[in-house]
Amino acid sequence: QQQVKQSPQSLIVQKGGISIINCAYENTAFDYFPWYQQFPGKGPALLIAIRPDVSEKKEGRFTISFNKSAKQFSLHIMDSQPGDSATYFCAAARGDSSYKLIFGSGTRLLVRP
Amino acid sequence: DTEVTQTPKHLVMGMTNKKSLKCEQHMGHRAMYWYKQKAKKPPELMFVYSYEKLSINESVPSRFSPECPNSSLLNLHLHALQPEDSALYLCASRSPRGDSYNEQFFGPGTRLTVL
């Protein structure tokens, strides 16, 4: 119930293409869903986050789509760039648990020039 | 200042050594976290401090000892570690209010190697 399942494990996209990463959860008590980007040797950086009362949130080239009934959410990276090549983690948290982040397993994205 | 700083960046220690990791934030956040991250894996929560009090300990071995001396500072004291404890140790803090209520900001981490 505490797991967040993330797919794909790795993704190769051409420059200018759309990168799509998917996550699914079981625990309906989760009320916060962030996405983090991590470059090698660095700490995770918050990209974008959503709450379950919103179905979509867009910030620049990054969009989260949220399907509460299916218990799924996804990250879309539009016009993908080589600088987007990194590992992406989805996560989920609940307010009554100190917002402890439960991370997905990660997706290694490579954007080819 | 929207930064979480961690020192040292790298640490190599023997199994009999005692060392400490330090984390600092000046964003007024009242929740601070320690995570451990092994290569090609997601971060795993170790400890959570809320208002300088330990609120979550994820069954971490006693060779890891956290300390929160004040609202801006978080330490992780290390003693008698094992080689399998080698990892990237990440500190994070969470904003307490407003639109960014839930956002956790991570530091750059300390790369720990136990010989």
Side-chain angles (χ1 to χ4, degrees), chain A residues 32 36 38 41-44 46 51 89 97-101 103-105 108, chain B residues 33 35 37 40 42-43 45 55-56 58 94 101-104 106-108:
Chain A
Y32 174 66
Y36 283 87
Q38 187 175 27
K42 305 292 185 183
L46 180 66
R51 301 192 192 208
F89 293 100
S97 182
S98 296
Y99 284 100
K100 165 184 167 180
L101 289 173
F103 284 92
S105 54
R108 300 183 77 179
Chain B
Y33 304 73
Y35 289 83
Q37 187 177 27
K40 298 185 179 181
L45 183 68
S55 61
I56 295 179
E58 291 288 288
R94 180 169 61 86
Y101 177 73
N102 304 334
E103 292 178 359
Q104 281 190 37
F106 282 82

PDB file of all heavy atoms in Angstrom, chain A residues 32 36 38 41-44 46 51 89 97-101 103-105 108, chain B residues 33 35 37 40 42-43 45 55-56 58 94 101-104 106-108:
ATOM      1  N   TYR A  32      -0.221  14.355  -1.837  1.00  0.00           N
ATOM      2  CA  TYR A  32       0.792  15.233  -2.421  1.00  0.00           C
ATOM      3  C   TYR A  32       1.671  14.399  -3.322  1.00  0.00           C
ATOM      4  O   TYR A  32       2.165  13.341  -2.907  1.00  0.00           O
ATOM      5  CB  TYR A  32       1.592  15.895  -1.297  1.00  0.00           C
ATOM      6  CG  TYR A  32       2.774  16.724  -1.765  1.00  0.00           C
ATOM      7  CD1 TYR A  32       2.591  17.881  -2.495  1.00  0.00           C
ATOM      8  CD2 TYR A  32       4.069  16.345  -1.443  1.00  0.00           C
ATOM      9  CE1 TYR A  32       3.685  18.646  -2.919  1.00  0.00           C
ATOM     10  CE2 TYR A  32       5.162  17.098  -1.846  1.00  0.00           C
ATOM     11  CZ  TYR A  32       4.953  18.247  -2.586  1.00  0.00           C
ATOM     12  OH  TYR A  32       6.024  19.004  -2.990  1.00  0.00           O
ATOM     13  N   TYR A  36      10.730  14.793  -8.955  1.00  0.00           N
ATOM     14  CA  TYR A  36      12.071  15.306  -8.730  1.00  0.00           C
ATOM     15  C   TYR A  36      12.967  14.926  -9.909  1.00  0.00           C
ATOM     16  O   TYR A  36      12.816  13.863 -10.511  1.00  0.00           O
ATOM     17  CB  TYR A  36      12.668  14.731  -7.448  1.00  0.00           C
ATOM     18  CG  TYR A  36      12.135  15.383  -6.186  1.00  0.00           C
ATOM     19  CD1 TYR A  36      10.968  14.926  -5.589  1.00  0.00           C
ATOM     20  CD2 TYR A  36      12.797  16.463  -5.611  1.00  0.00           C
ATOM     21  CE1 TYR A  36      10.482  15.529  -4.445  1.00  0.00           C
ATOM     22  CE2 TYR A  36      12.317  17.061  -4.459  1.00  0.00           C
ATOM     23  CZ  TYR A  36      11.153  16.598  -3.881  1.00  0.00           C
ATOM     24  OH  TYR A  36      10.666  17.193  -2.749  1.00  0.00           O
ATOM     25  N   GLN A  38      17.065  14.499 -10.867  1.00  0.00           N
ATOM     26  CA  GLN A  38      18.365  14.352 -10.224  1.00  0.00           C
ATOM     27  C   GLN A  38      19.456  14.116 -11.270  1.00  0.00           C
ATOM     28  O   GLN A  38      19.359  13.186 -12.076  1.00  0.00           O
ATOM     29  CB  GLN A  38      18.354  13.205  -9.208  1.00  0.00           C
ATOM     30  CG  GLN A  38      19.633  13.120  -8.383  1.00  0.00           C
ATOM     31  CD  GLN A  38      19.559  12.060  -7.290  1.00  0.00           C
ATOM     32  OE1 GLN A  38      18.848  11.086  -7.405  1.00  0.00           O
ATOM     33  NE2 GLN A  38      20.321  12.269  -6.214  1.00  0.00           N
ATOM     34  N   GLY A  41      25.512  12.753  -9.010  1.00  0.00           N
ATOM     35  CA  GLY A  41      26.289  13.400  -7.962  1.00  0.00           C
ATOM     36  C   GLY A  41      25.612  14.581  -7.301  1.00  0.00           C
ATOM     37  O   GLY A  41      26.227  15.260  -6.467  1.00  0.00           O
ATOM     38  N   LYS A  42      24.361  14.839  -7.649  1.00  0.00           N
ATOM     39  CA  LYS A  42      23.625  15.977  -7.078  1.00  0.00           C
ATOM     40  C   LYS A  42      22.428  15.491  -6.293  1.00  0.00           C
ATOM     41  O   LYS A  42      21.985  14.360  -6.428  1.00  0.00           O
ATOM     42  CB  LYS A  42      23.147  16.919  -8.190  1.00  0.00           C
ATOM     43  CG  LYS A  42      24.249  17.417  -9.122  1.00  0.00           C
ATOM     44  CD  LYS A  42      25.205  18.348  -8.406  1.00  0.00           C
ATOM     45  CE  LYS A  42      26.220  18.922  -9.381  1.00  0.00           C
ATOM     46  NZ  LYS A  42      27.213  19.783  -8.679  1.00  0.00           N
ATOM     47  N   GLY A  43      21.873  16.388  -5.465  1.00  0.00           N
ATOM     48  CA  GLY A  43      20.649  16.063  -4.765  1.00  0.00           C
ATOM     49  C   GLY A  43      19.441  16.226  -5.680  1.00  0.00           C
ATOM     50  O   GLY A  43      19.497  16.937  -6.678  1.00  0.00           O
ATOM     51  N   PRO A  44      18.339  15.559  -5.367  1.00  0.00           N
ATOM     52  CA  PRO A  44      17.119  15.716  -6.168  1.00  0.00           C
ATOM     53  C   PRO A  44      16.617  17.153  -6.101  1.00  0.00           C
ATOM     54  O   PRO A  44      16.655  17.779  -5.043  1.00  0.00           O
ATOM     55  CB  PRO A  44      16.129  14.759  -5.507  1.00  0.00           C
ATOM     56  CG  PRO A  44      16.962  13.821  -4.707  1.00  0.00           C
ATOM     57  CD  PRO A  44      18.158  14.595  -4.271  1.00  0.00           C
ATOM     58  N   LEU A  46      13.252  19.563  -6.879  1.00  0.00           N
ATOM     59  CA  LEU A  46      11.812  19.535  -7.136  1.00  0.00           C
ATOM     60  C   LEU A  46      11.503  20.202  -8.471  1.00  0.00           C
ATOM     61  O   LEU A  46      11.889  21.337  -8.722  1.00  0.00           O
ATOM     62  CB  LEU A  46      11.079  20.250  -6.014  1.00  0.00           C
ATOM     63  CG  LEU A  46       9.560  20.310  -6.150  1.00  0.00           C
ATOM     64  CD1 LEU A  46       8.958  18.913  -6.039  1.00  0.00           C
ATOM     65  CD2 LEU A  46       8.965  21.210  -5.071  1.00  0.00           C
ATOM     66  N   ARG A  51      -1.625  18.216  -6.258  1.00  0.00           N
ATOM     67  CA  ARG A  51      -2.488  17.645  -5.219  1.00  0.00           C
ATOM     68  C   ARG A  51      -3.660  16.963  -5.906  1.00  0.00           C
ATOM     69  O   ARG A  51      -4.001  17.297  -7.034  1.00  0.00           O
ATOM     70  CB  ARG A  51      -2.958  18.747  -4.280  1.00  0.00           C
ATOM     71  CG  ARG A  51      -1.813  19.467  -3.613  1.00  0.00           C
ATOM     72  CD  ARG A  51      -2.283  20.340  -2.499  1.00  0.00           C
ATOM     73  NE  ARG A  51      -1.226  21.233  -2.070  1.00  0.00           N
ATOM     74  CZ  ARG A  51      -1.138  21.715  -0.836  1.00  0.00           C
ATOM     75  NH1 ARG A  51      -2.061  21.397   0.069  1.00  0.00           N
ATOM     76  NH2 ARG A  51      -0.170  22.530  -0.503  1.00  0.00           N
ATOM     77  N   PHE A  89      12.345  11.029 -10.552  1.00  0.00           N
ATOM     78  CA  PHE A  89      11.643  10.260  -9.539  1.00  0.00           C
ATOM     79  C   PHE A  89      10.269  10.865  -9.302  1.00  0.00           C
ATOM     80  O   PHE A  89      10.153  12.079  -9.066  1.00  0.00           O
ATOM     81  CB  PHE A  89      12.399  10.278  -8.204  1.00  0.00           C
ATOM     82  CG  PHE A  89      13.716   9.558  -8.207  1.00  0.00           C
ATOM     83  CD1 PHE A  89      14.907  10.261  -8.337  1.00  0.00           C
ATOM     84  CD2 PHE A  89      13.772   8.174  -8.075  1.00  0.00           C
ATOM     85  CE1 PHE A  89      16.127   9.602  -8.324  1.00  0.00           C
ATOM     86  CE2 PHE A  89      14.990   7.508  -8.066  1.00  0.00           C
ATOM     87  CZ  PHE A  89      16.164   8.220  -8.193  1.00  0.00           C
ATOM     88  N   SER A  97       1.656  12.022   7.954  1.00  0.00           N
ATOM     89  CA  SER A  97       2.869  11.244   8.153  1.00  0.00           C
ATOM     90  C   SER A  97       4.100  12.115   7.933  1.00  0.00           C
ATOM     91  O   SER A  97       5.071  11.683   7.333  1.00  0.00           O
ATOM     92  CB  SER A  97       2.884  10.041   7.218  1.00  0.00           C
ATOM     93  OG  SER A  97       4.033   9.252   7.423  1.00  0.00           O
ATOM     94  N   SER A  98       4.008  13.372   8.385  1.00  0.00           N
ATOM     95  CA  SER A  98       5.120  14.318   8.241  1.00  0.00           C
ATOM     96  C   SER A  98       5.559  14.486   6.794  1.00  0.00           C
ATOM     97  O   SER A  98       6.705  14.811   6.528  1.00  0.00           O
ATOM     98  CB  SER A  98       6.329  13.893   9.098  1.00  0.00           C
ATOM     99  OG  SER A  98       6.011  13.916  10.462  1.00  0.00           O
ATOM    100  N   TYR A  99       4.628  14.227   5.858  1.00  0.00           N
ATOM    101  CA  TYR A  99       4.957  14.325   4.438  1.00  0.00           C
ATOM    102  C   TYR A  99       6.209  13.525   4.092  1.00  0.00           C
ATOM    103  O   TYR A  99       7.055  13.966   3.322  1.00  0.00           O
ATOM    104  CB  TYR A  99       5.051  15.782   3.998  1.00  0.00           C
ATOM    105  CG  TYR A  99       3.676  16.380   3.862  1.00  0.00           C
ATOM    106  CD1 TYR A  99       3.144  17.176   4.858  1.00  0.00           C
ATOM    107  CD2 TYR A  99       2.891  16.087   2.755  1.00  0.00           C
ATOM    108  CE1 TYR A  99       1.864  17.682   4.756  1.00  0.00           C
ATOM    109  CE2 TYR A  99       1.602  16.583   2.645  1.00  0.00           C
ATOM    110  CZ  TYR A  99       1.097  17.387   3.644  1.00  0.00           C
ATOM    111  OH  TYR A  99      -0.167  17.891   3.539  1.00  0.00           O
ATOM    112  N   LYS A 100       6.302  12.351   4.675  1.00  0.00           N
ATOM    113  CA  LYS A 100       7.360  11.402   4.313  1.00  0.00           C
ATOM    114  C   LYS A 100       7.193  11.037   2.840  1.00  0.00           C
ATOM    115  O   LYS A 100       6.131  10.569   2.430  1.00  0.00           O
ATOM    116  CB  LYS A 100       7.223  10.167   5.195  1.00  0.00           C
ATOM    117  CG  LYS A 100       7.980   8.949   4.747  1.00  0.00           C
ATOM    118  CD  LYS A 100       7.662   7.792   5.678  1.00  0.00           C
ATOM    119  CE  LYS A 100       8.131   6.476   5.104  1.00  0.00           C
ATOM    120  NZ  LYS A 100       7.807   5.346   6.018  1.00  0.00           N
ATOM    121  N   LEU A 101       8.232  11.251   2.046  1.00  0.00           N
ATOM    122  CA  LEU A 101       8.154  10.976   0.614  1.00  0.00           C
ATOM    123  C   LEU A 101       8.373   9.499   0.346  1.00  0.00           C
ATOM    124  O   LEU A 101       9.371   8.919   0.779  1.00  0.00           O
ATOM    125  CB  LEU A 101       9.197  11.801  -0.134  1.00  0.00           C
ATOM    126  CG  LEU A 101       8.939  13.306  -0.224  1.00  0.00           C
ATOM    127  CD1 LEU A 101      10.144  14.004  -0.846  1.00  0.00           C
ATOM    128  CD2 LEU A 101       7.692  13.608  -1.027  1.00  0.00           C
ATOM    129  N   PHE A 103       9.158   7.296  -2.715  1.00  0.00           N
ATOM    130  CA  PHE A 103       9.648   7.494  -4.080  1.00  0.00           C
ATOM    131  C   PHE A 103       9.359   6.300  -4.973  1.00  0.00           C
ATOM    132  O   PHE A 103       9.357   5.149  -4.520  1.00  0.00           O
ATOM    133  CB  PHE A 103      11.171   7.713  -4.069  1.00  0.00           C
ATOM    134  CG  PHE A 103      11.589   9.084  -3.617  1.00  0.00           C
ATOM    135  CD1 PHE A 103      11.880   9.338  -2.286  1.00  0.00           C
ATOM    136  CD2 PHE A 103      11.714  10.131  -4.525  1.00  0.00           C
ATOM    137  CE1 PHE A 103      12.286  10.601  -1.865  1.00  0.00           C
ATOM    138  CE2 PHE A 103      12.114  11.393  -4.113  1.00  0.00           C
ATOM    139  CZ  PHE A 103      12.389  11.625  -2.785  1.00  0.00           C
ATOM    140  N   GLY A 104       9.130   6.587  -6.256  1.00  0.00           N
ATOM    141  CA  GLY A 104       9.168   5.546  -7.267  1.00  0.00           C
ATOM    142  C   GLY A 104      10.611   5.131  -7.507  1.00  0.00           C
ATOM    143  O   GLY A 104      11.553   5.745  -6.978  1.00  0.00           O
ATOM    144  N   SER A 105      10.798   4.120  -8.333  1.00  0.00           N
ATOM    145  CA  SER A 105      12.127   3.538  -8.538  1.00  0.00           C
ATOM    146  C   SER A 105      13.022   4.378  -9.445  1.00  0.00           C
ATOM    147  O   SER A 105      14.217   4.137  -9.520  1.00  0.00           O
ATOM    148  CB  SER A 105      12.003   2.130  -9.103  1.00  0.00           C
ATOM    149  OG  SER A 105      11.213   2.167 -10.275  1.00  0.00           O
ATOM    150  N   ARG A 108      15.595   6.773 -15.902  1.00  0.00           N
ATOM    151  CA  ARG A 108      16.766   7.440 -16.464  1.00  0.00           C
ATOM    152  C   ARG A 108      16.416   7.894 -17.868  1.00  0.00           C
ATOM    153  O   ARG A 108      16.160   7.069 -18.751  1.00  0.00           O
ATOM    154  CB  ARG A 108      17.957   6.484 -16.473  1.00  0.00           C
ATOM    155  CG  ARG A 108      18.334   6.008 -15.081  1.00  0.00           C
ATOM    156  CD  ARG A 108      19.560   5.136 -15.117  1.00  0.00           C
ATOM    157  NE  ARG A 108      20.784   5.918 -15.264  1.00  0.00           N
ATOM    158  CZ  ARG A 108      22.001   5.403 -15.305  1.00  0.00           C
ATOM    159  NH1 ARG A 108      22.167   4.099 -15.235  1.00  0.00           N
ATOM    160  NH2 ARG A 108      23.053   6.179 -15.430  1.00  0.00           N
TER     161      ARG A 108
ATOM    162  N   TYR B  33      14.861  16.492   7.248  1.00  0.00           N
ATOM    163  CA  TYR B  33      14.882  15.067   6.944  1.00  0.00           C
ATOM    164  C   TYR B  33      16.300  14.599   6.617  1.00  0.00           C
ATOM    165  O   TYR B  33      17.072  15.337   5.994  1.00  0.00           O
ATOM    166  CB  TYR B  33      14.019  14.772   5.703  1.00  0.00           C
ATOM    167  CG  TYR B  33      12.582  15.238   5.781  1.00  0.00           C
ATOM    168  CD1 TYR B  33      12.250  16.581   5.699  1.00  0.00           C
ATOM    169  CD2 TYR B  33      11.542  14.316   5.905  1.00  0.00           C
ATOM    170  CE1 TYR B  33      10.932  17.005   5.761  1.00  0.00           C
ATOM    171  CE2 TYR B  33      10.212  14.732   5.957  1.00  0.00           C
ATOM    172  CZ  TYR B  33       9.922  16.079   5.883  1.00  0.00           C
ATOM    173  OH  TYR B  33       8.606  16.494   5.931  1.00  0.00           O
ATOM    174  N   TYR B  35      17.911  11.426   4.383  1.00  0.00           N
ATOM    175  CA  TYR B  35      17.678  10.317   3.461  1.00  0.00           C
ATOM    176  C   TYR B  35      19.033   9.670   3.136  1.00  0.00           C
ATOM    177  O   TYR B  35      20.057  10.317   3.133  1.00  0.00           O
ATOM    178  CB  TYR B  35      17.074  10.800   2.146  1.00  0.00           C
ATOM    179  CG  TYR B  35      15.639  11.270   2.199  1.00  0.00           C
ATOM    180  CD1 TYR B  35      15.319  12.565   2.591  1.00  0.00           C
ATOM    181  CD2 TYR B  35      14.602  10.421   1.839  1.00  0.00           C
ATOM    182  CE1 TYR B  35      14.011  13.006   2.629  1.00  0.00           C
ATOM    183  CE2 TYR B  35      13.276  10.848   1.861  1.00  0.00           C
ATOM    184  CZ  TYR B  35      13.002  12.143   2.250  1.00  0.00           C
ATOM    185  OH  TYR B  35      11.688  12.574   2.271  1.00  0.00           O
ATOM    186  N   GLN B  37      20.774   7.367  -0.037  1.00  0.00           N
ATOM    187  CA  GLN B  37      20.553   6.972  -1.423  1.00  0.00           C
ATOM    188  C   GLN B  37      21.724   6.134  -1.924  1.00  0.00           C
ATOM    189  O   GLN B  37      22.853   6.617  -1.994  1.00  0.00           O
ATOM    190  CB  GLN B  37      20.348   8.195  -2.321  1.00  0.00           C
ATOM    191  CG  GLN B  37      19.952   7.819  -3.743  1.00  0.00           C
ATOM    192  CD  GLN B  37      19.684   9.017  -4.625  1.00  0.00           C
ATOM    193  OE1 GLN B  37      20.221  10.105  -4.409  1.00  0.00           O
ATOM    194  NE2 GLN B  37      18.838   8.847  -5.636  1.00  0.00           N
ATOM    195  N   LYS B  40      21.800   4.303  -8.189  1.00  0.00           N
ATOM    196  CA  LYS B  40      20.712   3.898  -9.082  1.00  0.00           C
ATOM    197  C   LYS B  40      19.446   3.500  -8.334  1.00  0.00           C
ATOM    198  O   LYS B  40      18.620   2.733  -8.850  1.00  0.00           O
ATOM    199  CB  LYS B  40      21.163   2.756 -10.005  1.00  0.00           C
ATOM    200  CG  LYS B  40      22.315   3.133 -10.913  1.00  0.00           C
ATOM    201  CD  LYS B  40      22.658   2.023 -11.894  1.00  0.00           C
ATOM    202  CE  LYS B  40      23.801   2.444 -12.802  1.00  0.00           C
ATOM    203  NZ  LYS B  40      24.143   1.401 -13.795  1.00  0.00           N
ATOM    204  N   PRO B  42      16.235   5.061  -5.493  1.00  0.00           N
ATOM    205  CA  PRO B  42      15.644   6.297  -4.965  1.00  0.00           C
ATOM    206  C   PRO B  42      16.113   6.564  -3.545  1.00  0.00           C
ATOM    207  O   PRO B  42      16.596   5.660  -2.863  1.00  0.00           O
ATOM    208  CB  PRO B  42      14.144   5.993  -4.996  1.00  0.00           C
ATOM    209  CG  PRO B  42      14.054   4.516  -4.885  1.00  0.00           C
ATOM    210  CD  PRO B  42      15.266   3.967  -5.597  1.00  0.00           C
ATOM    211  N   PRO B  43      15.976   7.801  -3.094  1.00  0.00           N
ATOM    212  CA  PRO B  43      16.294   8.097  -1.693  1.00  0.00           C
ATOM    213  C   PRO B  43      15.374   7.312  -0.754  1.00  0.00           C
ATOM    214  O   PRO B  43      14.194   7.109  -1.036  1.00  0.00           O
ATOM    215  CB  PRO B  43      16.030   9.598  -1.579  1.00  0.00           C
ATOM    216  CG  PRO B  43      16.098  10.119  -2.973  1.00  0.00           C
ATOM    217  CD  PRO B  43      15.589   9.013  -3.834  1.00  0.00           C
ATOM    218  N   LEU B  45      14.063   7.287   3.238  1.00  0.00           N
ATOM    219  CA  LEU B  45      13.984   8.099   4.442  1.00  0.00           C
ATOM    220  C   LEU B  45      14.646   7.400   5.626  1.00  0.00           C
ATOM    221  O   LEU B  45      14.483   6.199   5.832  1.00  0.00           O
ATOM    222  CB  LEU B  45      12.525   8.394   4.777  1.00  0.00           C
ATOM    223  CG  LEU B  45      12.294   9.295   5.989  1.00  0.00           C
ATOM    224  CD1 LEU B  45      12.767  10.706   5.704  1.00  0.00           C
ATOM    225  CD2 LEU B  45      10.825   9.274   6.391  1.00  0.00           C
ATOM    226  N   SER B  55      10.515  12.974  14.951  1.00  0.00           N
ATOM    227  CA  SER B  55       9.151  12.499  14.783  1.00  0.00           C
ATOM    228  C   SER B  55       9.082  11.158  14.068  1.00  0.00           C
ATOM    229  O   SER B  55       8.123  10.408  14.245  1.00  0.00           O
ATOM    230  CB  SER B  55       8.300  13.538  14.027  1.00  0.00           C
ATOM    231  OG  SER B  55       8.816  13.775  12.734  1.00  0.00           O
ATOM    232  N   ILE B  56      10.056  10.849  13.245  1.00  0.00           N
ATOM    233  CA  ILE B  56      10.086   9.557  12.558  1.00  0.00           C
ATOM    234  C   ILE B  56      11.515   9.020  12.560  1.00  0.00           C
ATOM    235  O   ILE B  56      12.459   9.742  12.225  1.00  0.00           O
ATOM    236  CB  ILE B  56       9.582   9.657  11.101  1.00  0.00           C
ATOM    237  CG1 ILE B  56       8.103  10.048  11.059  1.00  0.00           C
ATOM    238  CG2 ILE B  56       9.806   8.338  10.365  1.00  0.00           C
ATOM    239  CD1 ILE B  56       7.543  10.183   9.653  1.00  0.00           C
ATOM    240  N   GLU B  58      13.030   5.605  10.859  1.00  0.00           N
ATOM    241  CA  GLU B  58      12.655   4.463  10.028  1.00  0.00           C
ATOM    242  C   GLU B  58      13.470   3.223  10.387  1.00  0.00           C
ATOM    243  O   GLU B  58      14.101   2.599   9.527  1.00  0.00           O
ATOM    244  CB  GLU B  58      12.829   4.819   8.550  1.00  0.00           C
ATOM    245  CG  GLU B  58      11.833   5.851   8.053  1.00  0.00           C
ATOM    246  CD  GLU B  58      10.434   5.281   7.914  1.00  0.00           C
ATOM    247  OE1 GLU B  58      10.183   4.489   6.999  1.00  0.00           O
ATOM    248  OE2 GLU B  58       9.580   5.644   8.740  1.00  0.00           O
ATOM    249  N   ARG B  94      11.460  21.086   4.721  1.00  0.00           N
ATOM    250  CA  ARG B  94      10.122  21.285   4.146  1.00  0.00           C
ATOM    251  C   ARG B  94       9.538  22.598   4.624  1.00  0.00           C
ATOM    252  O   ARG B  94       9.614  22.925   5.819  1.00  0.00           O
ATOM    253  CB  ARG B  94       9.200  20.135   4.534  1.00  0.00           C
ATOM    254  CG  ARG B  94       7.782  20.249   3.980  1.00  0.00           C
ATOM    255  CD  ARG B  94       7.011  18.952   4.180  1.00  0.00           C
ATOM    256  NE  ARG B  94       6.868  18.605   5.573  1.00  0.00           N
ATOM    257  CZ  ARG B  94       5.891  19.043   6.362  1.00  0.00           C
ATOM    258  NH1 ARG B  94       5.000  19.889   5.895  1.00  0.00           N
ATOM    259  NH2 ARG B  94       5.816  18.647   7.618  1.00  0.00           N
ATOM    260  N   TYR B 101       3.506  24.513   0.838  1.00  0.00           N
ATOM    261  CA  TYR B 101       3.442  23.863   2.152  1.00  0.00           C
ATOM    262  C   TYR B 101       4.172  22.535   2.183  1.00  0.00           C
ATOM    263  O   TYR B 101       4.803  22.190   3.150  1.00  0.00           O
ATOM    264  CB  TYR B 101       1.984  23.657   2.540  1.00  0.00           C
ATOM    265  CG  TYR B 101       1.818  22.933   3.843  1.00  0.00           C
ATOM    266  CD1 TYR B 101       2.095  23.557   5.052  1.00  0.00           C
ATOM    267  CD2 TYR B 101       1.374  21.624   3.875  1.00  0.00           C
ATOM    268  CE1 TYR B 101       1.958  22.896   6.254  1.00  0.00           C
ATOM    269  CE2 TYR B 101       1.220  20.965   5.072  1.00  0.00           C
ATOM    270  CZ  TYR B 101       1.507  21.599   6.262  1.00  0.00           C
ATOM    271  OH  TYR B 101       1.346  20.934   7.450  1.00  0.00           O
ATOM    272  N   ASN B 102       4.054  21.759   1.102  1.00  0.00           N
ATOM    273  CA  ASN B 102       4.589  20.407   1.150  1.00  0.00           C
ATOM    274  C   ASN B 102       5.971  20.245   0.535  1.00  0.00           C
ATOM    275  O   ASN B 102       6.536  19.173   0.596  1.00  0.00           O
ATOM    276  CB  ASN B 102       3.649  19.464   0.402  1.00  0.00           C
ATOM    277  CG  ASN B 102       2.242  19.528   0.941  1.00  0.00           C
ATOM    278  OD1 ASN B 102       2.041  19.869   2.092  1.00  0.00           O
ATOM    279  ND2 ASN B 102       1.278  19.217   0.110  1.00  0.00           N
ATOM    280  N   GLU B 103       6.486  21.299  -0.070  1.00  0.00           N
ATOM    281  CA  GLU B 103       7.702  21.134  -0.859  1.00  0.00           C
ATOM    282  C   GLU B 103       8.906  20.805   0.005  1.00  0.00           C
ATOM    283  O   GLU B 103       9.201  21.500   0.967  1.00  0.00           O
ATOM    284  CB  GLU B 103       7.985  22.406  -1.665  1.00  0.00           C
ATOM    285  CG  GLU B 103       6.956  22.650  -2.752  1.00  0.00           C
ATOM    286  CD  GLU B 103       7.215  23.934  -3.511  1.00  0.00           C
ATOM    287  OE1 GLU B 103       8.191  24.634  -3.174  1.00  0.00           O
ATOM    288  OE2 GLU B 103       6.442  24.236  -4.425  1.00  0.00           O
ATOM    289  N   GLN B 104       9.581  19.739  -0.364  1.00  0.00           N
ATOM    290  CA  GLN B 104      10.841  19.372   0.295  1.00  0.00           C
ATOM    291  C   GLN B 104      11.987  19.776  -0.618  1.00  0.00           C
ATOM    292  O   GLN B 104      12.017  19.419  -1.789  1.00  0.00           O
ATOM    293  CB  GLN B 104      10.906  17.869   0.558  1.00  0.00           C
ATOM    294  CG  GLN B 104      10.115  17.438   1.776  1.00  0.00           C
ATOM    295  CD  GLN B 104      10.368  16.004   2.171  1.00  0.00           C
ATOM    296  OE1 GLN B 104      11.482  15.490   2.081  1.00  0.00           O
ATOM    297  NE2 GLN B 104       9.309  15.340   2.595  1.00  0.00           N
ATOM    298  N   PHE B 106      15.987  19.559  -1.230  1.00  0.00           N
ATOM    299  CA  PHE B 106      17.119  18.712  -0.901  1.00  0.00           C
ATOM    300  C   PHE B 106      18.433  19.473  -1.006  1.00  0.00           C
ATOM    301  O   PHE B 106      18.593  20.359  -1.856  1.00  0.00           O
ATOM    302  CB  PHE B 106      17.182  17.513  -1.847  1.00  0.00           C
ATOM    303  CG  PHE B 106      16.197  16.426  -1.524  1.00  0.00           C
ATOM    304  CD1 PHE B 106      14.885  16.515  -1.954  1.00  0.00           C
ATOM    305  CD2 PHE B 106      16.580  15.313  -0.793  1.00  0.00           C
ATOM    306  CE1 PHE B 106      13.965  15.518  -1.653  1.00  0.00           C
ATOM    307  CE2 PHE B 106      15.679  14.303  -0.492  1.00  0.00           C
ATOM    308  CZ  PHE B 106      14.366  14.404  -0.923  1.00  0.00           C
ATOM    309  N   GLY B 107      19.374  19.079  -0.157  1.00  0.00           N
ATOM    310  CA  GLY B 107      20.734  19.551  -0.289  1.00  0.00           C
ATOM    311  C   GLY B 107      21.482  18.722  -1.324  1.00  0.00           C
ATOM    312  O   GLY B 107      20.939  17.765  -1.874  1.00  0.00           O
ATOM    313  N   PRO B 108      22.751  19.064  -1.575  1.00  0.00           N
ATOM    314  CA  PRO B 108      23.527  18.349  -2.594  1.00  0.00           C
ATOM    315  C   PRO B 108      24.018  16.984  -2.145  1.00  0.00           C
ATOM    316  O   PRO B 108      24.446  16.171  -2.967  1.00  0.00           O
ATOM    317  CB  PRO B 108      24.712  19.278  -2.850  1.00  0.00           C
ATOM    318  CG  PRO B 108      24.857  20.033  -1.571  1.00  0.00           C
ATOM    319  CD  PRO B 108      23.474  20.194  -1.027  1.00  0.00           C
TER     320      PRO B 108
END
